[in-house]
Amino acid sequence: MEKFIWAFIIGGLICVIGQIMMDVFKLTPAHTMTTLVVAGAVLGGLGLYEPLLEFAGAGASVPISSFGNSLVKGALSEAESTGIVGVLTGIFEVTSAGISAAVIFGFMASLIFRPKG
Amino acid sequence: MSNKKYKKLTPTQQEYQRFAKEREPKRSVLFNIAKAFLVGGTICTIGQGLQMFFVTYFNFTEKTAGNPTVAVLIFASALLTGLGVYDHIAQWGGAGTAVPVTGFANTVTSAAIEHRSEGYVLGVGGNMFKIAGPVIVFGVFSAFVVAIIKIAVQVLGGVK
């Protein structure tokens, strides 16, 4: 049960950081998302994102910053088994589900739905 | 807006600017932050529920359950975007809907639907990643740099 509470709090806090970047620093949503992804990648490289994932579960894995962390994780784990080329071959290993799902469901939606408004 | 900007305008225009500024709805940063916290937290809590569902009923561990969770959230987001519901939530939730992975799926889906009139190849295919593209480009490049630095440190410094 406390997992849910921490997921709510940490997930909410990451969104608050995003909202502050949009409202106070006047960044566009695209800039905000990009900044969070890069931040996630750097935190992943420093080994700080993994503890957050263990602590907050989906609170850390659902925000877009986990995308950056997963990219680093895929690259590093593949590099460990196949050497330096693994950075290239492994970078999308963990994030494959997210990107494929976005492409597939996004395309299906464009077949079914018409633009609104 | 500064007064400098008003200087070039005619008196009537200046008056209008003042009038418009008075009527503009005041956007409170704190209220927006509270809304983002609430909506973002709720989406992550739903994600946590899905994650536990995958761990309990399928053969996923805590670590691998993240992938199917993200896929389900993206599916839900694409569906809600197509139905026009997600944009209503997004208007209220601000970054609370943009920062979770559902916001990523929302930008992909809405761009795909919006440009279908331009044809499936150039319209849908070409514009799908118009907003989500930068996220992938900068994510991949920064991940590449981080991974190279980390490997270099491990090799040169002997840190394991």
PDB file of all heavy atoms in Angstrom, chain B residues 4 29-30 32 34 42 44 46 56 62 74 77 79 81-82 88 103 109 120 125 128 131-133 143 154:
ATOM      1  N   LYS B   4       7.717  49.904 -22.737  1.00  0.00           N
ATOM      2  CA  LYS B   4       8.430  50.130 -23.997  1.00  0.00           C
ATOM      3  C   LYS B   4       7.624  49.606 -25.175  1.00  0.00           C
ATOM      4  O   LYS B   4       7.551  50.223 -26.226  1.00  0.00           O
ATOM      5  CB  LYS B   4       9.752  49.352 -23.935  1.00  0.00           C
ATOM      6  CG  LYS B   4      10.960  50.247 -24.194  1.00  0.00           C
ATOM      7  CD  LYS B   4      12.167  49.392 -24.441  1.00  0.00           C
ATOM      8  CE  LYS B   4      13.364  49.875 -23.653  1.00  0.00           C
ATOM      9  NZ  LYS B   4      14.404  48.855 -23.597  1.00  0.00           N
ATOM     10  N   VAL B  29       0.460  30.313 -10.499  1.00  0.00           N
ATOM     11  CA  VAL B  29       1.476  29.269 -10.640  1.00  0.00           C
ATOM     12  C   VAL B  29       1.265  28.178  -9.598  1.00  0.00           C
ATOM     13  O   VAL B  29       1.349  26.986  -9.896  1.00  0.00           O
ATOM     14  CB  VAL B  29       2.882  29.892 -10.518  1.00  0.00           C
ATOM     15  CG1 VAL B  29       3.946  28.815 -10.511  1.00  0.00           C
ATOM     16  CG2 VAL B  29       3.127  30.868 -11.660  1.00  0.00           C
ATOM     17  N   LEU B  30       0.930  28.602  -8.382  1.00  0.00           N
ATOM     18  CA  LEU B  30       0.777  27.618  -7.299  1.00  0.00           C
ATOM     19  C   LEU B  30      -0.380  26.661  -7.570  1.00  0.00           C
ATOM     20  O   LEU B  30      -0.273  25.458  -7.349  1.00  0.00           O
ATOM     21  CB  LEU B  30       0.553  28.344  -5.972  1.00  0.00           C
ATOM     22  CG  LEU B  30       1.820  28.765  -5.251  1.00  0.00           C
ATOM     23  CD1 LEU B  30       1.477  29.475  -3.962  1.00  0.00           C
ATOM     24  CD2 LEU B  30       2.701  27.561  -4.955  1.00  0.00           C
ATOM     25  N   ASN B  32      -1.561  25.875 -10.507  1.00  0.00           N
ATOM     26  CA  ASN B  32      -1.137  24.985 -11.581  1.00  0.00           C
ATOM     27  C   ASN B  32      -0.260  23.857 -11.053  1.00  0.00           C
ATOM     28  O   ASN B  32      -0.379  22.708 -11.482  1.00  0.00           O
ATOM     29  CB  ASN B  32      -0.352  25.765 -12.639  1.00  0.00           C
ATOM     30  CG  ASN B  32      -1.277  26.505 -13.578  1.00  0.00           C
ATOM     31  OD1 ASN B  32      -2.485  26.297 -13.546  1.00  0.00           O
ATOM     32  ND2 ASN B  32      -0.709  27.362 -14.397  1.00  0.00           N
ATOM     33  N   ALA B  34      -0.238  22.629  -8.046  1.00  0.00           N
ATOM     34  CA  ALA B  34      -1.061  21.691  -7.281  1.00  0.00           C
ATOM     35  C   ALA B  34      -1.804  20.751  -8.210  1.00  0.00           C
ATOM     36  O   ALA B  34      -1.883  19.534  -7.971  1.00  0.00           O
ATOM     37  CB  ALA B  34      -2.043  22.470  -6.399  1.00  0.00           C
ATOM     38  N   THR B  42      -1.720  10.875  -9.784  1.00  0.00           N
ATOM     39  CA  THR B  42      -2.773   9.896 -10.057  1.00  0.00           C
ATOM     40  C   THR B  42      -2.366   8.963 -11.198  1.00  0.00           C
ATOM     41  O   THR B  42      -2.556   7.744 -11.114  1.00  0.00           O
ATOM     42  CB  THR B  42      -4.080  10.631 -10.432  1.00  0.00           C
ATOM     43  OG1 THR B  42      -4.368  11.571  -9.415  1.00  0.00           O
ATOM     44  CG2 THR B  42      -5.219   9.659 -10.580  1.00  0.00           C
ATOM     45  N   CYS B  44       0.639   8.151 -12.114  1.00  0.00           N
ATOM     46  CA  CYS B  44       1.679   7.241 -11.625  1.00  0.00           C
ATOM     47  C   CYS B  44       1.099   6.179 -10.700  1.00  0.00           C
ATOM     48  O   CYS B  44       1.572   5.041 -10.685  1.00  0.00           O
ATOM     49  CB  CYS B  44       2.764   8.030 -10.895  1.00  0.00           C
ATOM     50  SG  CYS B  44       3.725   9.049 -12.010  1.00  0.00           S
ATOM     51  N   ILE B  46      -1.938   4.910 -10.943  1.00  0.00           N
ATOM     52  CA  ILE B  46      -2.563   3.937 -11.855  1.00  0.00           C
ATOM     53  C   ILE B  46      -1.476   3.018 -12.422  1.00  0.00           C
ATOM     54  O   ILE B  46      -1.645   1.794 -12.486  1.00  0.00           O
ATOM     55  CB  ILE B  46      -3.306   4.666 -13.001  1.00  0.00           C
ATOM     56  CG1 ILE B  46      -4.469   5.479 -12.436  1.00  0.00           C
ATOM     57  CG2 ILE B  46      -3.803   3.666 -14.038  1.00  0.00           C
ATOM     58  CD1 ILE B  46      -5.131   6.406 -13.441  1.00  0.00           C
ATOM     59  N   THR B  56       1.632  -9.820 -10.253  1.00  0.00           N
ATOM     60  CA  THR B  56       0.838 -10.834  -9.561  1.00  0.00           C
ATOM     61  C   THR B  56       0.300 -11.889 -10.520  1.00  0.00           C
ATOM     62  O   THR B  56       0.346 -13.083 -10.230  1.00  0.00           O
ATOM     63  CB  THR B  56      -0.350 -10.169  -8.824  1.00  0.00           C
ATOM     64  OG1 THR B  56       0.111  -8.960  -8.234  1.00  0.00           O
ATOM     65  CG2 THR B  56      -0.902 -11.076  -7.755  1.00  0.00           C
ATOM     66  N   GLU B  62       9.382  -7.278 -10.431  1.00  0.00           N
ATOM     67  CA  GLU B  62       9.275  -5.834 -10.168  1.00  0.00           C
ATOM     68  C   GLU B  62       9.997  -5.034 -11.240  1.00  0.00           C
ATOM     69  O   GLU B  62       9.551  -3.970 -11.650  1.00  0.00           O
ATOM     70  CB  GLU B  62       9.885  -5.515  -8.802  1.00  0.00           C
ATOM     71  CG  GLU B  62       9.043  -5.923  -7.618  1.00  0.00           C
ATOM     72  CD  GLU B  62       8.075  -4.827  -7.193  1.00  0.00           C
ATOM     73  OE1 GLU B  62       8.507  -3.680  -7.081  1.00  0.00           O
ATOM     74  OE2 GLU B  62       6.890  -5.145  -6.992  1.00  0.00           O
ATOM     75  N   ILE B  74       0.292   3.700 -22.629  1.00  0.00           N
ATOM     76  CA  ILE B  74       0.350   4.337 -23.944  1.00  0.00           C
ATOM     77  C   ILE B  74      -0.898   4.001 -24.746  1.00  0.00           C
ATOM     78  O   ILE B  74      -1.481   4.859 -25.407  1.00  0.00           O
ATOM     79  CB  ILE B  74       1.638   3.899 -24.682  1.00  0.00           C
ATOM     80  CG1 ILE B  74       2.831   4.619 -24.074  1.00  0.00           C
ATOM     81  CG2 ILE B  74       1.547   4.185 -26.170  1.00  0.00           C
ATOM     82  CD1 ILE B  74       4.149   4.204 -24.638  1.00  0.00           C
ATOM     83  N   SER B  77      -3.684   6.046 -23.367  1.00  0.00           N
ATOM     84  CA  SER B  77      -3.527   7.441 -23.744  1.00  0.00           C
ATOM     85  C   SER B  77      -3.891   7.665 -25.199  1.00  0.00           C
ATOM     86  O   SER B  77      -4.541   8.665 -25.553  1.00  0.00           O
ATOM     87  CB  SER B  77      -2.089   7.871 -23.473  1.00  0.00           C
ATOM     88  OG  SER B  77      -1.812   9.060 -24.120  1.00  0.00           O
ATOM     89  N   LEU B  79      -5.986   5.908 -26.972  1.00  0.00           N
ATOM     90  CA  LEU B  79      -7.440   5.783 -27.078  1.00  0.00           C
ATOM     91  C   LEU B  79      -8.133   7.057 -26.598  1.00  0.00           C
ATOM     92  O   LEU B  79      -9.011   7.610 -27.272  1.00  0.00           O
ATOM     93  CB  LEU B  79      -7.904   4.575 -26.248  1.00  0.00           C
ATOM     94  CG  LEU B  79      -9.372   4.177 -26.396  1.00  0.00           C
ATOM     95  CD1 LEU B  79      -9.608   3.632 -27.798  1.00  0.00           C
ATOM     96  CD2 LEU B  79      -9.755   3.129 -25.368  1.00  0.00           C
ATOM     97  N   THR B  81      -6.865  10.007 -26.369  1.00  0.00           N
ATOM     98  CA  THR B  81      -6.555  11.111 -27.278  1.00  0.00           C
ATOM     99  C   THR B  81      -7.476  11.064 -28.486  1.00  0.00           C
ATOM    100  O   THR B  81      -8.029  12.084 -28.911  1.00  0.00           O
ATOM    101  CB  THR B  81      -5.098  11.023 -27.744  1.00  0.00           C
ATOM    102  OG1 THR B  81      -4.260  11.013 -26.597  1.00  0.00           O
ATOM    103  CG2 THR B  81      -4.730  12.219 -28.613  1.00  0.00           C
ATOM    104  N   GLY B  82      -7.667   9.852 -29.055  1.00  0.00           N
ATOM    105  CA  GLY B  82      -8.533   9.690 -30.210  1.00  0.00           C
ATOM    106  C   GLY B  82      -9.961  10.097 -29.905  1.00  0.00           C
ATOM    107  O   GLY B  82     -10.641  10.702 -30.724  1.00  0.00           O
ATOM    108  N   HIS B  88      -8.837  17.321 -22.850  1.00  0.00           N
ATOM    109  CA  HIS B  88      -9.558  18.004 -21.778  1.00  0.00           C
ATOM    110  C   HIS B  88      -8.824  17.860 -20.455  1.00  0.00           C
ATOM    111  O   HIS B  88      -8.679  18.823 -19.699  1.00  0.00           O
ATOM    112  CB  HIS B  88     -10.971  17.425 -21.636  1.00  0.00           C
ATOM    113  CG  HIS B  88     -11.900  17.896 -22.711  1.00  0.00           C
ATOM    114  ND1 HIS B  88     -12.316  19.197 -22.792  1.00  0.00           N
ATOM    115  CD2 HIS B  88     -12.451  17.244 -23.754  1.00  0.00           C
ATOM    116  CE1 HIS B  88     -13.103  19.334 -23.845  1.00  0.00           C
ATOM    117  NE2 HIS B  88     -13.191  18.155 -24.453  1.00  0.00           N
ATOM    118  N   GLY B 103       1.775  11.444 -21.794  1.00  0.00           N
ATOM    119  CA  GLY B 103       1.880  12.693 -22.538  1.00  0.00           C
ATOM    120  C   GLY B 103       2.666  12.507 -23.821  1.00  0.00           C
ATOM    121  O   GLY B 103       2.338  13.088 -24.859  1.00  0.00           O
ATOM    122  N   THR B 109       0.038  10.537 -30.886  1.00  0.00           N
ATOM    123  CA  THR B 109      -1.284  10.228 -31.428  1.00  0.00           C
ATOM    124  C   THR B 109      -1.961  11.467 -31.992  1.00  0.00           C
ATOM    125  O   THR B 109      -2.537  11.427 -33.082  1.00  0.00           O
ATOM    126  CB  THR B 109      -2.165   9.615 -30.322  1.00  0.00           C
ATOM    127  OG1 THR B 109      -1.434   8.590 -29.681  1.00  0.00           O
ATOM    128  CG2 THR B 109      -3.433   9.059 -30.897  1.00  0.00           C
ATOM    129  N   TYR B 120      -1.397   9.329 -45.652  1.00  0.00           N
ATOM    130  CA  TYR B 120      -0.852   8.470 -44.601  1.00  0.00           C
ATOM    131  C   TYR B 120       0.670   8.482 -44.564  1.00  0.00           C
ATOM    132  O   TYR B 120       1.258   8.372 -43.496  1.00  0.00           O
ATOM    133  CB  TYR B 120      -1.382   7.049 -44.748  1.00  0.00           C
ATOM    134  CG  TYR B 120      -2.754   6.941 -44.142  1.00  0.00           C
ATOM    135  CD1 TYR B 120      -3.893   6.854 -44.922  1.00  0.00           C
ATOM    136  CD2 TYR B 120      -2.906   7.011 -42.757  1.00  0.00           C
ATOM    137  CE1 TYR B 120      -5.145   6.816 -44.361  1.00  0.00           C
ATOM    138  CE2 TYR B 120      -4.148   6.967 -42.188  1.00  0.00           C
ATOM    139  CZ  TYR B 120      -5.270   6.874 -42.982  1.00  0.00           C
ATOM    140  OH  TYR B 120      -6.502   6.848 -42.417  1.00  0.00           O
ATOM    141  N   GLY B 125       2.741   9.571 -41.293  1.00  0.00           N
ATOM    142  CA  GLY B 125       4.097   9.051 -41.074  1.00  0.00           C
ATOM    143  C   GLY B 125       5.098  10.157 -40.837  1.00  0.00           C
ATOM    144  O   GLY B 125       5.999  10.033 -40.009  1.00  0.00           O
ATOM    145  N   MET B 128       4.121  12.285 -37.265  1.00  0.00           N
ATOM    146  CA  MET B 128       3.864  11.583 -36.016  1.00  0.00           C
ATOM    147  C   MET B 128       4.838  12.004 -34.916  1.00  0.00           C
ATOM    148  O   MET B 128       4.439  12.245 -33.780  1.00  0.00           O
ATOM    149  CB  MET B 128       4.017  10.092 -36.291  1.00  0.00           C
ATOM    150  CG  MET B 128       3.242   9.209 -35.386  1.00  0.00           C
ATOM    151  SD  MET B 128       3.519   7.536 -35.932  1.00  0.00           S
ATOM    152  CE  MET B 128       1.967   6.817 -35.540  1.00  0.00           C
ATOM    153  N   ILE B 131       6.511  16.365 -32.436  1.00  0.00           N
ATOM    154  CA  ILE B 131       6.741  16.890 -31.085  1.00  0.00           C
ATOM    155  C   ILE B 131       7.525  15.892 -30.244  1.00  0.00           C
ATOM    156  O   ILE B 131       8.354  16.271 -29.426  1.00  0.00           O
ATOM    157  CB  ILE B 131       5.409  17.217 -30.382  1.00  0.00           C
ATOM    158  CG1 ILE B 131       4.532  18.030 -31.332  1.00  0.00           C
ATOM    159  CG2 ILE B 131       5.647  17.967 -29.085  1.00  0.00           C
ATOM    160  CD1 ILE B 131       3.096  18.115 -30.920  1.00  0.00           C
ATOM    161  N   ALA B 132       7.270  14.591 -30.476  1.00  0.00           N
ATOM    162  CA  ALA B 132       7.938  13.575 -29.674  1.00  0.00           C
ATOM    163  C   ALA B 132       9.354  13.330 -30.170  1.00  0.00           C
ATOM    164  O   ALA B 132      10.184  12.790 -29.437  1.00  0.00           O
ATOM    165  CB  ALA B 132       7.142  12.268 -29.710  1.00  0.00           C
ATOM    166  N   GLY B 133       9.641  13.739 -31.412  1.00  0.00           N
ATOM    167  CA  GLY B 133      10.960  13.512 -31.995  1.00  0.00           C
ATOM    168  C   GLY B 133      12.103  14.077 -31.173  1.00  0.00           C
ATOM    169  O   GLY B 133      13.066  13.358 -30.873  1.00  0.00           O
ATOM    170  N   ALA B 143      21.977   9.786 -23.826  1.00  0.00           N
ATOM    171  CA  ALA B 143      22.251   8.447 -23.298  1.00  0.00           C
ATOM    172  C   ALA B 143      23.554   7.908 -23.873  1.00  0.00           C
ATOM    173  O   ALA B 143      24.348   7.278 -23.171  1.00  0.00           O
ATOM    174  CB  ALA B 143      21.096   7.498 -23.633  1.00  0.00           C
ATOM    175  N   GLN B 154      35.054   3.600 -16.306  1.00  0.00           N
ATOM    176  CA  GLN B 154      35.252   2.240 -15.804  1.00  0.00           C
ATOM    177  C   GLN B 154      36.554   1.644 -16.313  1.00  0.00           C
ATOM    178  O   GLN B 154      37.294   1.000 -15.571  1.00  0.00           O
ATOM    179  CB  GLN B 154      34.079   1.351 -16.220  1.00  0.00           C
ATOM    180  CG  GLN B 154      32.880   1.530 -15.318  1.00  0.00           C
ATOM    181  CD  GLN B 154      31.671   0.792 -15.823  1.00  0.00           C
ATOM    182  OE1 GLN B 154      31.653   0.295 -16.949  1.00  0.00           O
ATOM    183  NE2 GLN B 154      30.648   0.714 -15.002  1.00  0.00           N
TER     184      GLN B 154
END
